[in-house]
Amino acid sequence: MDPIKYLFEKPVLNGRMSRWTLMLSEFDLKYVPLKAIKGKVVADFLADNPVKETDIVNTWSFPDEDIVHVEDDVWDLYFDGASNNMECGIGVLIISPRGEHVPVSIKLDFAVTNNAAEYEACLLGLQSANKLGVMKLTVHGDSSLVINQVTGSWKIKSSSLAPYQAKIEELEKLFEEVRYVYLPRRKISSTTHQNAR
């Protein structure tokens, strides 16, 4: 709804809105809605003023031909998982190239180790990014075990973590590009302290 129309047509207003209405009343304003442009008018105008083909070729110019760098549509994914005697939980933050944030968090109803919780968080992040239609992704995590095993730098020794690795490899096929970045905890905490000042 149009806020000006709301102010002038609402019979009873409280607080700040009533003060605004009172201040605007001395100007004897009246709300008149904007008339819509009919689609036929635009179609008639385009039919009456056709564009010549020669004009199209001559008017097309590419002023940025010499730009070498073009920004990619790479999304960022941050994951974290934690497990203790009381409960287990995982969290994911997906950030679009335009800076939009999509947070996801889940409390796990089953007991897992800390490493398994980190893998669960990574899996949740990849699944969520896939559902959002993401094709290029940079995955950030503070678990050196998960990041190094997923990238192939370390071998998987635990049989309980092997299914996670297989599932992640399966999910990676759904993306054009997936890159993993290890974020040490001390780097995250120092950044947090600097931002808090």
Side-chain angles (χ1 to χ4, degrees), residues 19-161:
R19 283 180 281 179
W20 291 345
T21 306
L22 185 64
M23 289 188 321
L24 289 172
S25 65
E26 71 180 85
F27 297 108
D28 194 31
L29 298 173
K30 188 178 235 180
Y31 176 77
V32 178
L34 182 66
K35 301 289 182 193
I37 298 174
K38 300 292 181 186
K40 188 172 182 331
V41 173
V42 175
D44 290 341
F45 175 79
L46 292 174
D48 292 340
N49 302 298
V51 178
K52 298 176 185 171
E53 289 185 33
T54 56
D55 292 343
I56 293 173
V57 175
N58 294 335
T59 57
W60 279 27
S61 63
F62 299 101
D64 301 327
E65 287 176 351
D66 51 337
I67 291 181
V68 179
H69 176 69
V70 178
E71 268 191 47
D72 245 348
D73 52 346
V74 178
W75 292 56
D76 288 305
L77 183 151
Y78 294 85
F79 72 90
D80 197 13
S83 174
N84 60 30
N85 295 341
M86 304 297 286
E87 54 191 24
C88 308
I90 57 178
V92 171
L93 177 64
I94 301 172
I95 303 175
S96 76
R98 292 181 304 226
E100 299 161 336
H101 291 63
V102 181
V104 181
S105 63
I106 294 177
K107 180 180 175 185
L108 301 176
D109 289 336
F110 51 91
V112 293
T113 63
N114 266 330
N115 291 333
E118 293 283 355
Y119 264 110
E120 288 281 348
C122 185
L123 279 172
L124 173 68
L126 290 173
Q127 290 167 341
S128 301
N130 181 45
K131 287 181 183 173
L132 288 171
V134 175
M135 295 310 293
K136 295 180 182 179
L137 187 64
T138 302
V139 180
H140 306 268
D142 66 351
S143 170
S144 61
L145 179 92
V146 172
I147 297 295
N148 285 307
Q149 286 181 346
V150 167
T151 57
S153 301
W154 294 357
K155 291 184 178 180
I156 299 175
K157 295 179 181 176
S158 171
S159 60
S160 63
L161 298 180

